[in-house]
Amino acid sequence: MATTGLDAALVATAVEEAAALPRLNSLIVARDGEVLVERVFRGPDLDTPVNIKSASKSVLAAVAGAAIGEGLLPGVEAPISTWLADDFPVAPDPRLNTLTVENLLTMQAGLGSTSGRNYGAWVSGRDWVGFALAQPFEAEPGGRMVYSTGTSHILSALLTEATDRSTLALTRDLLGEPLGIDIPEWPADPQGVYFGGNDMLMAPRDLLTFGELYRNDGVHEGRRVLPEGWVETSWRGRGTSRWSGNPYGYGWWIKQVGEREVYFAWGYGGQMVFVVPDLALTVVMTSDPSPVTQRDDHVDRLHSILDQRLIPAAERGG
């Protein structure tokens, strides 16, 4: 039986558990488009942009989709060599010519990762795009997932070359304006290409609007922002993370909680946008993104609040 609202007792428990997490800054819960929980536990208010870390990859994927919808990019099957051949290394691996926009969106480029232990050397270099494209292939294009922020940065460079507009300008025009959200400037590489897949800034309430855009199949207040079918395609898993086991679509992670499909944007340290479509549930969590000296269970506990408190609260209704 369909329900509305949220079970008050479970929500109270969720908020209590959230408040006890020392790195969690904010929590927003909306159901059927109505905000039912808004809490700031510490840190900035809900309208102040914060670093969303790798949740930027989900936003960048939306920009690519909107660009395709506007005819600024031909489609996901387009080869990246159309725009980036000049950035290829000398005597490039022939497989670079087979890479497509979709391979970048799904982290199936096969290029060696610039994340993790390679991240520092990459972002301290003088040519981020060239460095990422020069990584040796670890997998065949379209095959095993290799998570790499460099792959997302290649997408940002491609969008810039294809449209002759910066990724910042595209994000403001294709997402910020139609959604009515603020897109502050974020860092760029030495060539001026805005960082693809990291360090974007968005306020928690604007992240909720972004999550709701996907929950509503790319439509915001009656206006189509993402092409028809883009969300469904984005939420179809291709590769799988060797760390979490979660499938990955176009910039979105996928998991199952009971019989519920859950789709989520995920940034380092606990910057989360969860969408549970069949419960009309959208949840935003922002956290202190400061590096930690050793792996902790903070993100696992955020998932637990969603899985064990908020999803059951929506199932019971209020």
Side-chain angles (χ1 to χ4, degrees):
M1 186 176 74
T3 63
T4 59
L6 298 169
D7 179 85
L10 281 170
V11 167
T13 301
V15 170
E16 182 181 357
E17 292 176 355
L21 296 179
R23 291 173 52 207
L24 184 61
N25 289 346
S26 73
L27 170 67
I28 306 177
V29 184
R31 187 156 195 217
D32 293 305
E34 180 184 0
V35 175
L36 301 177
V37 178
E38 282 190 322
R39 292 293 299 269
V40 175
F41 304 108
R42 57 195 61 81
D45 64 38
L46 298 174
D47 292 315
T48 297
V50 297
N51 191 334
I52 64 170
K53 306 302 285 187
S54 283
S56 305
K57 294 175 173 67
S58 308
V59 178
L60 186 67
V63 174
I68 290 170
E70 293 291 325
L72 302 173
L73 201 62
V76 296
E77 298 304 323
I80 74 168
S81 59
T82 303
W83 303 281
L84 298 178
D86 289 346
D87 295 293
F88 286 5
V90 176
D93 188 307
R95 287 173 288 187
L96 282 176
N97 288 308
T98 72
L99 290 186
T100 66
V101 172
E102 183 170 67
N103 295 152
L104 303 180
L105 287 165
T106 61
M107 292 289 175
Q108 291 176 295
L111 294 166
S113 180
T114 63
S115 295
R117 66 178 182 272
N118 297 323
Y119 184 81
W122 174 51
V123 296
S124 61
R126 304 171 99 181
D127 182 0
W128 294 11
V129 177
F131 186 99
L133 287 166
Q135 295 308 295
F137 278 86
E138 292 183 4
E140 293 301 312
R144 177 171 62 84
M145 178 185 182
V146 180
Y147 184 87
S148 175
T149 299
T151 296
S152 290
H153 191 64
I154 293 169
L155 178 60
S156 180
L158 185 149
L159 286 167
T160 301
E161 286 293 327
T163 65
D164 199 29
R165 293 157 69 187
S166 72
T167 308
L168 171 63
L170 288 170
T171 305
R172 285 175 169 170
D173 292 347
L174 301 179
L175 289 184
E177 186 276 324
L179 297 182
I181 64 177
D182 183 35
I183 307 291
E185 188 166 5
W186 72 92
D189 73 8
Q191 283 69 45
V193 175
Y194 281 89
F195 204 164
N198 199 9
D199 288 348
M200 281 186 176
L201 305 170
M202 289 179 70
R205 284 195 176 110
D206 291 345
L207 280 174
L208 181 74
T209 301
F210 176 70
E212 283 285 285
L213 173 69
Y214 271 76
R215 186 182 71 80
N216 289 305
D217 191 34
V219 175
H220 175 73
E221 295 181 351
R223 176 177 176 180
R224 177 155 292 284
V225 178
L226 302 176
E228 190 169 355
W230 182 261
V231 172
E232 180 184 358
T233 304
S234 298
W235 284 351
R236 189 163 65 244
R238 274 70 162 197
T240 301
S241 168
R242 63 175 179 151
W243 307 111
S244 68
N246 293 130
Y248 191 75
Y250 288 179
W252 285 80
W253 297 96
I254 303 157
K255 71 172 185 173
Q256 195 152 359
V257 180
E259 298 180 353
R260 312 290 183 187
E261 291 287 336
V262 178
Y263 307 94
F264 60 102
W266 175 13
Y268 177 85
Q271 325 311 321
M272 318 297 296
V273 181
F274 293 104
V275 182
V276 190
D278 64 353
L279 290 173
L281 187 68
T282 304
V283 178
V284 169
M285 302 174 180
T286 64
S287 305
D288 182 348
S290 303
V292 292
T293 55
Q294 59 186 19
R295 186 178 176 86
D296 64 12
D297 65 350
H298 177 72
V299 172
D300 291 338
R301 293 175 76 177
L302 300 183
H303 279 271
S304 179
I305 288 171
L306 176 82
D307 300 355
Q308 298 178 24
R309 307 303 182 202
L310 297 176
I311 287 178
E315 289 172 338
R316 292 185 191 179

